[in-house]
Amino acid sequence: MTRDYSQLMSEMAADYQRHAPVSAELHQRALSTLVDGGSHSIRLMEPFAPRIRKAYGAWLEDEDGNQILDFWQGHYANILGHNPAVVTEALAEALSENYGLQGGFTDRQQIEAAEILCHQTRQDLVRFTTSGTLATMYAIILARAFTGRELILKVGGGWHGAHLWGLKGLGWNDGFGEVESDGLPNSVPDQVIVTGYNNSGLLEEKFRRYGDKLACFIVEPVIGAGGMMPATKEFLQAARKLCDSYGTLLIFDEVISGFRFRAGDAGLLFGVKPDLVTLGKAIGGGMPVSAVAGRSDVLKLTSRELGFRVKFSGGTYSAHAGSMLAANIYMRHLVKNEAEVYSKLAESGAETRRQVQSAFASEGIKVRFAGDRNNDLRLSSLHMLVFPFKEGLELNTPEEIFNPSICDQALSEKVIQLAMLLENVHVVHGLGSSTTAHSNEDLQILGEAFGRAARRIKPYL
Ligand code: PMP
């Protein structure tokens, strides 16, 4: 089922042009040197993105002077909100003392960050790099080298970054089986096998068919771009068992979920320990840091002792000085204040959901949060809003969330985003993430903004 939002979208685009004329003008200028006006497609909303000049806590300021309440929060990295003092003060002090920009050496900060990370994720060894994409790519290469096998198993809708093995099974096209980019080697489609999130029966089938050729199963304990929803315990525990019996490595991609639900990996909350875990986003305290942590017999494939068999090396900016300082300070802060930070995040998440539900309920519009019937991980601060056409659905898999005959895709992606921006609230995939920086007053502002947006949209439903 598709609804026609073209008239609403063009009315809102005209309003937005008046609301943010400086951003509109900057967008036109950007188009002459930047592809689509920027360098990350998700930031380049239509008709144009707000150009941000400041970000603090829950709030942004754009070039027009609009104060915008933000739920994107740095691709979900900023669990304490934007530019938290705990990091900015340490960086400012370090920079004033000739430490923080690119050095190309190794230092104490890196050791301290590694110690916290390994301890909190229950892993033996870690190696740092600079993006989630690189971390999952290296984890997959390690798994292929360790097992001597070719195939990678992943779930449909699971985003692990834009490397060769990550670009299959992302967008819905009557299912999740396709390769999504031109220019890849011909072998990629055959090397990546796609299964279903929270579908243990299908997982078993895939292992029966491909198990002895599978190097790894890479999966998020809480899927991000694929719906911001937790796995079921049963699914992750089945994955652990199947990997063990077929000699396949289990990789948890915790680039979003790591340090988001506790000061460490989310796998612990499901009672499952992976062989390798990839981390990014929150561990860097706002700086570009990512990591692969895991079993020493696997990580050691990249060591001098084993002749650098896996070339997980290089990276001019890997374990960059300022980034390691930020990572060390941020993770330390999260560990020390774990009880307070994570209960605040959970409360902020719960209040966010209450506000949104009540705003749409007053307008009689059916809205759900993806994964909201899964009781295996409650109190999430990650939110994807979905607008199902029918009541009573489970909405526990990307197959339901992204199927346009089950949920209204245009509404949750484009329409809501523009309607909310006109209310000075920035949301992505319907909403985004709550942080410890969102006060109850901020969340009330969110509820009121959704109420006005819902009233505007209702005549088009
Ligand atoms: N894994 C997951 C689960 C992610 O959400 C992302 C990014 N959204 C990545 C990997 C890739 O990270 P990056 O964008 O830092 O390359």
Side-chain angles (χ1 to χ4, degrees):
M1 180 166 160
T2 43
R3 295 172 173 140
D4 182 7
Y5 295 112
S6 50
Q7 190 197 333
L8 172 63
M9 285 301 283
S10 59
E11 276 169 25
M12 292 197 296
D15 284 356
Y16 182 48
Q17 180 86 25
R18 287 186 286 273
H19 183 82
V22 179
S23 285
E25 200 183 310
L26 285 169
H27 177 66
Q28 287 310 315
R29 178 173 155 197
L31 288 176
S32 60
T33 48
L34 288 155
V35 181
D36 290 339
S39 301
H40 193 303
S41 55
I42 207 163
R43 299 175 190 168
L44 301 170
M45 60 168 292
E46 290 173 68
F48 57 88
R51 297 281 161 173
I52 303 304
R53 65 183 178 202
K54 254 195 229 174
Y56 47 99
W59 292 86
L60 312 171
E61 183 179 296
D62 72 5
E63 290 277 355
D64 288 276
N66 293 311
Q67 304 298 309
I68 302 169
L69 184 58
D70 182 35
F71 288 83
W72 176 226
Q73 289 291 336
H75 300 233
Y76 320 113
N78 301 337
I79 62 179
L80 304 180
H82 288 281
N83 291 307
V86 62
V87 179
T88 56
E89 283 170 9
L91 280 175
E93 192 187 324
L95 287 168
S96 74
E97 291 174 7
N98 299 322
Y99 178 87
L101 296 188
Q102 171 67 350
F105 301 103
T106 190
D107 58 23
R108 178 185 295 271
Q109 296 300 334
Q110 183 181 167
I111 303 168
E112 291 182 2
E115 284 166 356
I116 303 177
L117 195 147
C118 284
H119 183 257
Q120 297 300 121
T121 60
R122 312 166 287 150
Q123 296 291 356
D124 305 328
L125 288 173
V126 63
R127 181 154 270 197
F128 289 108
T129 178
T130 45
S131 73
T133 300
L134 284 172
T136 61
M137 180 193 80
Y138 283 127
I140 288 171
I141 298 177
L142 280 166
R144 284 165 54 94
F146 187 80
T147 58
R149 298 175 179 177
E150 276 280 287
L151 303 187
I152 310 307
L153 183 64
K154 62 159 292 201
V155 301
W159 172 251
H160 304 292
H163 53 68
L164 298 185
W165 296 293
L167 292 169
K168 182 174 169 185
L170 298 168
W172 177 268
N173 189 359
D174 251 345
F176 280 114
E178 310 217 339
V179 171
E180 317 258 333
S181 176
D182 286 357
L184 303 184
N186 292 339
S187 55
V188 167
D190 296 333
Q191 283 181 4
V192 181
I193 311 296
V194 180
T195 186
Y197 198 62
N198 284 340
N199 186 340
S200 309
L202 187 61
L203 190 67
E204 251 184 84
E205 248 177 64
K206 297 284 180 189
F207 269 90
R208 266 201 303 275
R209 176 145 180 219
Y210 302 102
D212 56 357
K213 298 194 190 71
L214 286 177
C216 61
F217 175 38
I218 180 164
V219 65
E220 295 163 85
V222 182
I223 199 166
M228 293 290 169
M229 52 194 166
T232 60
K233 255 189 192 153
E234 184 251 323
F235 177 66
L236 294 184
Q237 290 176 357
R240 181 66 276 176
K241 273 202 190 120
L242 286 163
C243 282
D244 287 344
S245 52
Y246 284 87
T248 299
L249 294 193
L250 180 60
I251 304 174
F252 277 175
D253 181 357
E254 296 226 26
V255 167
I256 290 184
S257 58
F259 287 76
R260 157 71 56 180
F261 295 91
R262 55 173 289 267
D265 63 313
L268 178 77
L269 305 171
F270 296 85
V272 180
K273 187 174 167 191
D275 302 295
L276 296 174
V277 58
T278 53
L279 296 121
K281 302 199 193 260
I283 66 167
M287 295 291 275
V289 178
S290 72
V292 181
R295 281 166 45 180
S296 67
D297 55 349
V298 183
L299 263 292
K300 280 218 166 149
L301 288 176
T302 197
S303 69
R304 174 169 290 133
E305 182 189 337
L306 295 191
F308 307 113
R309 275 183 53 204
V310 171
K311 294 286 175 292
F312 181 172
S313 51
T316 301
Y317 291 111
S318 66
H320 168 272
S323 300
M324 285 296 105
L325 173 64
N328 185 15
I329 284 177
Y330 203 67
M331 286 191 282
R332 216 162 273 278
H333 177 87
L334 296 177
V335 171
K336 184 161 162 234
N337 300 287
E338 184 165 19
E340 191 193 328
V341 167
Y342 293 94
S343 62
K344 176 87 192 0
L345 262 182
E347 275 162 31
S348 170
E351 182 57 20
T352 300
R353 292 185 180 211
R354 267 195 295 277
Q355 288 288 347
V356 175
Q357 293 286 10
S358 103
F360 282 98
S362 329
E363 297 307 314
I365 298 174
K366 287 193 281 294
V367 68
R368 290 270 305 275
F369 289 87
D372 59 5
R373 303 231 164 126
N374 179 351
N375 284 319
D376 286 350
L377 185 75
R378 299 308 301 167
L379 303 172
S380 182
S381 53
L382 299 169
H383 321 282
M384 190 177 283
L385 277 194
V386 287
F387 296 90
F389 296 113
K390 280 198 308 196
E391 311 260 8
L393 299 163
E394 204 55 41
L395 299 177
N396 200 26
T397 63
E399 283 74 8
E400 290 166 285
I401 306 301
F402 294 101
N403 184 335
S405 65
I406 298 180
C407 295
D408 187 333
Q409 305 298 312
L411 180 54
S412 59
E413 286 295 318
K414 293 185 173 183
V415 179
I416 284 286
Q417 190 175 41
L418 190 50
M420 289 300 277
L421 205 48
L422 286 167
E423 304 295 335
N424 282 332
V425 178
H426 183 236
V427 300
V428 176
H429 301 315
L431 190 43
S433 79
S434 322
T435 70
T436 59
H438 289 94
S439 65
N440 274 347
E441 200 186 6
D442 294 333
L443 298 178
Q444 209 171 330
I445 293 172
L446 172 75
E448 288 160 9
F450 263 119
R452 288 189 295 275
R455 280 191 284 286
R456 179 168 201 156
I457 292 164
K458 198 175 174 190
Y460 299 85
L461 299 181

